[in-house]
Amino acid sequence: MKVVIFQLSLFGINTYLVYDPATLYCAVIDPGMIEEREEKAISDYISKNNLKLTNIINTHLHIDHIAGNHYLQLKYNVPVSAHLLDEPLGNRIQQQAAMFGMKEQIPNVEITEYLKAGDIVKIGKGSLKVIPVPGHSQGSIALYDEKDGFVIVGDALFKGSIGRTDLPGGNYEQLIASIRNNLFTLPDNTVVYSGHGLPTTIGEEKQTNPFLQ
């Protein structure tokens, strides 16, 4: 499958559009659009490339990763998939907004499809395997495309860093264990797409990430 990256203004969030070139089915992962121009950028890309949106997937339910959920749900009438353990975060979006001094009115997240370890999310002829990576939040997941050699990890792992663990649901020891046991077991050449910052690879982070040496 192909991966398109949208770098958005809300905390520098990376929103990913993943699509299957054979069928033109696509999913949007962690829609962080908060401005009209950002919503338009994604919907225009879908329209101009004749894509069909079938899934909204959230790696976790912190506010920067869900701000655009409502827009896509209304426009495309598609389900929202996330892990059950992050549902409490999804029910407290306004509290999250207040924590960061945000005045925007962003609706709570209503998960319509619960994802768990080992689930396979089909996108046309492509597939993403759900890998649990709790620690940044209790319901954090990664999405692994074995065939095309990439994994979308949300805020679990970054180039040279790891996710915060001082937010509700965070646990440092748990996050380190998740990375070592569930991500570092992937092939070294697997491309890592993070929720913020530049892509990296599993091999590079094994060798150089200071939190994991």
Side-chain angles (χ1 to χ4, degrees):
M1 291 192 289
K2 303 295 184 182
V3 179
V4 181
I5 306 172
F6 294 86
Q7 295 179 316
L8 305 178
S9 60
L10 185 58
F11 306 134
I13 174 72
N14 290 329
T15 288
Y16 295 98
L17 187 151
V18 178
Y19 71 95
D20 168 31
T23 63
L24 300 182
Y25 288 167
C26 72
V28 174
I29 299 169
D30 290 346
M33 311 89 72
I34 201 166
E35 299 178 1
E36 185 176 344
R37 64 177 179 82
E38 295 174 340
E39 295 171 345
K40 187 174 186 297
I42 289 183
S43 58
D44 281 356
Y45 189 93
I46 291 172
S47 175
K48 288 176 182 177
N49 291 279
N50 298 312
L51 302 178
K52 180 180 179 182
L53 183 66
T54 58
N55 306 72
I56 300 167
I57 310 172
N58 295 119
T59 62
H60 63 293
L61 299 184
H62 286 150
I63 192 167
D64 50 333
H65 290 251
I66 62 84
N69 276 26
H70 188 62
Y71 169 78
L72 292 178
Q73 281 182 282
L74 287 180
K75 186 171 181 65
Y76 297 101
N77 190 29
V78 291
V80 171
S81 304
H83 197 286
L84 173 64
L85 290 180
D86 260 22
E87 195 163 52
L89 289 175
N91 291 332
R92 297 200 301 269
I93 297 302
Q94 289 311 307
Q95 290 93 323
Q96 291 192 50
M99 184 186 307
F100 292 105
M102 296 171 56
K103 297 180 179 179
E104 289 84 359
Q105 294 297 311
I106 300 172
N108 285 342
V109 176
E110 295 185 12
I111 303 173
T112 51
E113 294 182 354
Y114 294 103
L115 298 176
K116 62 183 185 302
D119 282 351
I120 302 296
V121 180
K122 297 295 292 182
I123 304 171
K125 295 181 178 179
S127 62
L128 296 171
K129 182 179 180 179
V130 176
I131 299 174
V133 286
H136 178 64
S137 73
Q138 287 304 295
S140 287
I141 59 171
L143 301 160
Y144 177 45
D145 183 335
E146 180 177 10
K147 179 177 179 292
D148 294 297
F150 68 83
V151 61
I152 296 173
V153 299
D155 287 355
L157 178 66
F158 301 118
K159 183 179 178 67
S161 189
I162 60 172
R164 295 176 61 170
T165 57
D166 60 337
L167 298 173
N171 183 299
Y172 179 83
E173 290 76 15
Q174 186 181 39
L175 179 57
I176 294 297
S178 292
I179 295 169
R180 291 192 186 282
N181 299 332
N182 298 344
L183 294 180
F184 279 6
T185 53
L186 301 177
D188 282 356
N189 63 352
T190 303
V191 177
V192 176
Y193 293 112
S194 303
H196 307 266
L198 298 172
T200 182
T201 65
I202 292 294
E204 179 178 345
E205 296 314 305
K206 280 183 181 179
Q207 293 177 11
T208 66
N209 193 303
F211 292 90
L212 295 148
Q213 300 308 305

